[in-house]
Amino acid sequence: MALIRLGFGRQHLRPTKRRSFLLLKLIAAVFAVLLFCEFLIYYLVIFRCDWPEVKTAAQNSGQQTLKAMFLADTHLLGEIRGHWLDKLRREWQMERAFQTALWLLQPEVVFILGDIFDEGKWSSPQAWADDVERFQKIFRHPHHVLLKVVVGNHDIGFHYRMSTYKIKRFEKVFNPERLFSWKGINFVMVNSIALEGDGCNICSKAEAELIEVSRKLNCSREHFPLYRRSDANCSGDDAAPLEERGLPFKERYDVLSREASQKLLWWLRPRLVLSGHTHSACEVLHGAGTLEISVPSFSWRNRNNPSFIMGSLTATRHALAKCFLPRENAVLAAYCVAAGLLAALYCKLLASPFLFGWNLLRKLKTT
């Protein structure tokens, strides 16, 4: 009997070690999947992006080049519409994407083209303070990197809902400059919501400020796109879905009015316009060839394939490139494949005790 017990102990020890080893493999696999899908994938995808090269004429070869990032429509969820899990997921994605881009690409200035928040137009003072704190954590940046923010309709409301209080609240936090100049390049940040053209106090002040700085303009940044009938002529992976491109835009809601757009082009005569609001990409030529680029949303809540624009700018020229972020469906597919493999490994782990018991019974019967 002693020999039988000794043999039983040795046989029992081997499956136990095997199960422990499989359990460690399972834990390591789960950790590896999480590490890849929630951290490393941002480095692998953004690493492929590179700054475009500005083609300068010989007489302008001494001009300094400014590296600027442009993103739009982050839509940080608020206390009313934001489910905690959705909020946690989307903010983690944007934080990892932004921090990875800062580390890999080393931009000198970052522009966010409106709709920073999702509920700024109606948030209470406490909710606003909470949203601002989360924004500052997600989009934290070194002191040598400048962050410039343009106001959007979700930040202060559309024309009929915006107020001096909401505008002042936004300006107190972000201190937006109407005119910003660096390395010989002039940028104008436009509160396009105030370009209603109805002579309201806020609108009149905004128009007066634009006229004042118009002579110094090289580039324009705004939230609402300039007037266009639809996205019918837009193309690319991050353009609006095909079934939506032909839908007509509503003036003063989807795009600026035709009149306000003409005013901006006449007053400012920009060589480049970048805008947000539509959540989709588009390139449009206005007037005498002024290029407008609609920057897609930076949030996975609005797009399966968010992106941002990388701009190499000089005082007279510019070159732009687009940097795509990880696709949501690719990440989900990776999780599904990993879940299948982990389930198979887990079933193997569960099967070990049953196989051991069955073999033990057979052993006892034969003895």
Side-chain angles (χ1 to χ4, degrees):
M1 288 296 294
L3 290 175
I4 294 176
R5 288 176 183 173
L6 181 60
F8 173 80
R10 288 176 178 174
Q11 291 175 5
H12 176 72
L13 185 61
R14 290 175 183 173
T16 301
K17 285 185 176 180
R18 190 180 300 114
R19 290 199 303 271
S20 299
F21 180 67
L22 286 175
L23 181 60
L24 289 175
K25 286 175 64 177
L26 183 64
I27 295 173
V30 170
F31 178 77
V33 170
L34 289 174
L35 181 64
F36 175 78
C37 291
E38 301 300 332
F39 191 81
L40 294 179
I41 192 171
Y42 297 98
Y43 287 90
L44 294 174
V45 172
I46 297 177
F47 181 77
R48 299 179 301 176
C49 302
D50 200 5
W51 292 101
E53 184 178 353
V54 181
K55 297 179 181 179
T56 57
Q59 63 270 25
N60 297 324
S61 58
Q63 291 182 349
Q64 291 181 302
T65 301
L66 179 67
K67 294 181 178 180
M69 270 176 54
F70 304 93
L71 50 110
D73 297 278
T74 54
H75 283 272
L76 269 67
L77 296 173
E79 64 176 2
I80 298 176
R81 293 168 52 179
H83 186 275
W84 69 268
L85 183 58
D86 192 16
K87 186 184 300 185
L88 179 68
R89 175 67 179 158
R90 302 313 177 191
E91 291 181 6
W92 169 259
Q93 289 174 309
M94 287 192 288
E95 181 176 359
R96 290 310 332 139
F98 185 75
Q99 296 302 322
T100 303
L102 287 185
W103 191 80
L104 288 177
L105 302 177
Q106 300 288 310
E108 296 170 277
V109 59
V110 178
F111 292 92
I112 304 182
L113 307 181
D115 281 356
I116 313 303
F117 307 109
D118 195 60
E119 300 177 12
K121 53 188 176 182
W122 60 52
S123 60
S124 65
Q126 183 57 52
W128 171 263
D130 294 341
D131 292 347
V132 168
E133 183 178 358
R134 286 168 29 238
F135 171 86
Q136 292 173 340
K137 174 183 177 295
I138 296 169
F139 295 97
R140 62 190 182 276
H141 53 91
H143 293 296
H144 65 273
V145 178
L146 298 183
L147 181 65
K148 300 295 180 180
V149 176
V150 178
V151 69
N153 60 288
H154 277 267
D155 302 317
I156 61 173
F158 278 107
H159 174 264
Y160 58 89
R161 295 194 65 174
M162 71 176 179
S163 64
T164 302
Y165 165 74
K166 294 176 185 176
I167 293 176
K168 293 294 183 183
R169 182 171 71 173
F170 185 90
E171 292 177 344
K172 183 179 180 181
V173 174
F174 297 105
N175 190 29
E177 303 172 81
R178 187 68 66 216
L179 176 64
F180 165 65
S181 300
W182 196 5
K183 293 188 176 182
I185 308 163
N186 298 320
F187 301 87
V188 168
M189 275 68 79
V190 179
N191 177 6
S192 50
I193 305 162
L195 300 180
E196 188 76 7
D198 61 356
C200 73
N201 291 335
I202 297 175
C203 301
S204 298
K205 180 181 177 182
E207 290 188 5
E209 290 174 349
L210 289 176
I211 294 173
E212 180 66 22
V213 301
S214 63
R215 62 185 179 84
K216 299 179 180 179
L217 178 69
N218 287 124
C219 297
S220 175
R221 311 279 173 268
E222 57 189 50
H223 178 61
F224 271 27
L226 296 176
Y227 174 79
R228 61 177 184 263
R229 291 185 177 182
S230 67
D231 273 351
N233 296 323
C234 304
S235 61
D237 290 340
D238 51 353
L242 285 173
E243 63 272 14
E244 297 179 9
R245 294 182 195 178
L247 299 177
F249 281 145
K250 181 180 178 182
E251 294 186 46
R252 301 181 177 88
Y253 187 85
D254 298 309
V255 293
L256 285 175
S257 67
R258 190 192 301 263
E259 179 185 1
S261 300
Q262 291 173 347
K263 282 184 178 180
L264 277 177
L265 292 173
W266 174 254
W267 290 338
L268 307 178
R269 300 184 184 277
R271 58 186 170 104
L272 176 65
V273 177
L274 290 105
S275 59
H277 187 63
T278 65
H279 300 174
S280 301
C282 192
E283 294 187 11
V284 182
L285 286 177
H286 298 279
T290 301
L291 175 64
E292 178 190 5
I293 295 179
S294 292
V295 181
S297 174
F298 192 71
S299 173
W300 281 261
R301 192 169 187 260
N302 298 324
R303 298 197 59 81
N304 175 57
N305 58 339
S307 61
F308 59 88
I309 300 293
M310 303 166 59
S312 299
L313 312 169
T314 70
T316 58
R317 295 177 179 270
H318 63 268
L320 305 175
K322 188 172 293 181
C323 183
F324 284 95
L325 300 174
R327 287 177 172 267
E328 182 87 302
N329 58 359
V331 175
L332 293 177
Y335 271 126
C336 290
V337 172
L341 295 176
L342 292 174
L345 185 61
Y346 184 66
C347 290
K348 185 177 181 181
L349 180 63
L350 287 179
S352 297
F354 295 105
L355 290 174
F356 169 71
W358 174 252
N359 291 332
L360 178 61
L361 288 173
R362 293 178 60 188
K363 180 73 174 180
L364 292 174
K365 286 181 179 181
T366 57
T367 57

